[in-house]
Amino acid sequence: MPIITVAFALTCALLMLRAYRHNAAEHAQTMPQMPNHVTDVGESWYAKTSTAFDEESPMPDIDVDVDQDMFSNSEYIEVLGNEYKPKAASMPSWLPHTKLGEAKTLPTNDSKLILENNRDVSQYTVEPNSDSLLILTPIKNNAKHLARYFALIDKLKYPRNRTSLAILVSDSTDKTQQMLIESRRWYQEQAPPELRFQRFDIYRQDFFYSLPRKQRHLREKQKERRTMMARARNYLWTRALQNEQWVLWIDGDLEYYPPNIVRDLMAYDKDVIVPNCLVRRRSIHSRWKHTVYDRNAWQETDQSRQVISKLKDDDFMVEGYKSLKTHRRYLDHFPKNETIVPLDGVGGTFTLVKSHVHRSGVGFPAWLFQHQVETEGFAKLAKAHGYGVYGLPYYYIRHVTD
């Protein structure tokens, strides 16, 4: 009797397994297909980014003082793996959260009237959606990087129904715009629901500015180039920002960032925060070395303030050039026990911003503000408004090699 029972159970299990395989095969045939430019390159990048670096591209020699396994075993990252949780009784974003030095206290009666009026209108006021995220990326001639761009976003461990994406295409002459339109159609119309964005917007604004790629890092071209980038960023965030709580600026040509990076950065609960962006280059001995890519993230020092004090009002400061010593402190200049540091300048490779910073009028100066423009000017302007700007020296992401 037990033998018959076991045989019957095995037969039922085999029949159920055949039925499951048949249904799975039918389901696979009906699944929507990703665009070719995403599938061909994107799948390989899923495989490569499943671990920090593949064995074919090790990190044998690193300029920055970090461990070789820094991207996978970052012991100096305080919040790695933590879950961001909003405050239970957070102050509305449209109320001032910082006491400015010259702010005057209103009389008690006036304050009561303001609060009463506030209560009357609060039920009609649209507040930012809790934990909602808007990813912003301005790009130009970025077709060869789009597959990796979407592959990395797809690996982010953040709810897609709380994530919106807005991309600005400017002065492009390649297939960037066509590929974005195709990608948007797939994500929003054909992809499974768990991969669809809350919004996926594509904007086009041409500034008719052309600079050969070989000249993009020339010192004498930086002011005009960064001014145009500031105009592009301002156009994008003023068009795209709706009622999201967070804004994330991402470069279109990043090579790697951790899947949990959004929640990690949110957990610090700062107005503006950036990781440390590295780039991998070959040394004279043909060995790969990692150095800091984003020199726009820095902290002022006593020496740098002395340099600034001697500048003319129309002098433009720019980082990363041996011909100009600014004496600022970059993210690779901090000891390992300083896991989060205040900054006076930031870059735009991967910058998380609380949306109320932009809503209060802090954008990207297309004019000189304290001798800076664009992202560094944004950090200076944010601090002038009383907001906090911070960097994570030992939280790494990687930019493609120019």
Side-chain angles (χ1 to χ4, degrees), residues 203-220:
Y203 300 95
R204 177 84 189 207
Q205 176 64 38
D206 295 318
F207 300 98
F208 301 99
Y209 176 74
S210 177
L211 183 66
R213 191 168 185 84
K214 292 183 179 180
Q215 298 182 21
R216 63 179 298 191
H217 292 302
L218 294 178
R219 178 181 167 184
E220 60 270 20

Side-chain angles (χ1 to χ4, degrees), residues 345-363:
V346 297
T349 55
F350 201 102
T351 306
L352 184 67
V353 183
K354 288 186 177 179
S355 60
H356 66 242
V357 176
H358 282 313
R359 288 193 182 94
S360 69
V362 180

Side-chain angles (χ1 to χ4, degrees), residues 51-71:
T51 55
F53 292 105
D54 55 51
E55 296 180 355
E56 296 178 358
S57 58
M59 301 171 59
D61 192 4
I62 304 173
D63 280 349
V64 186
D65 184 18
V66 294
D67 295 334
Q68 181 159 334
D69 296 330
M70 60 184 176
F71 282 86

Side-chain angles (χ1 to χ4, degrees), residues 292-356:
V292 173
Y293 175 84
D294 198 348
R295 294 291 179 182
N296 298 330
W298 39 259
Q299 185 185 88
E300 297 285 14
T301 64
D302 291 339
Q303 285 182 295
S304 69
R305 292 186 184 94
Q306 290 179 5
V307 173
I308 294 173
S309 66
K310 300 176 182 179
L311 295 176
K312 299 177 182 178
D313 291 341
D314 58 349
D315 284 339
F316 170 59
M317 292 191 71
V318 62
E319 303 301 317
Y321 296 89
K322 295 181 179 180
S323 58
L324 179 61
K325 297 291 185 180
T326 62
H327 301 287
R328 284 163 168 166
R329 197 178 185 188
Y330 304 114
L331 286 178
D332 57 336
H333 293 171
F334 293 90
K336 291 181 178 178
N337 63 330
E338 296 189 46
T339 55
I340 179 169
V341 295
L343 296 179
D344 297 286
V346 297
T349 55
F350 201 102
T351 306
L352 184 67
V353 183
K354 288 186 177 179
S355 60
H356 66 242

Side-chain angles (χ1 to χ4, degrees), residues 14 17 29 56 66 82 170 204 274 303 344 390 401-402:
L14 287 172
L17 180 61
Q29 292 176 357
E56 296 178 358
V66 294
N82 288 1
S170 300
R204 177 84 189 207
V274 297
Q303 285 182 295
D344 297 286
Y390 293 86
T401 303
D402 290 332

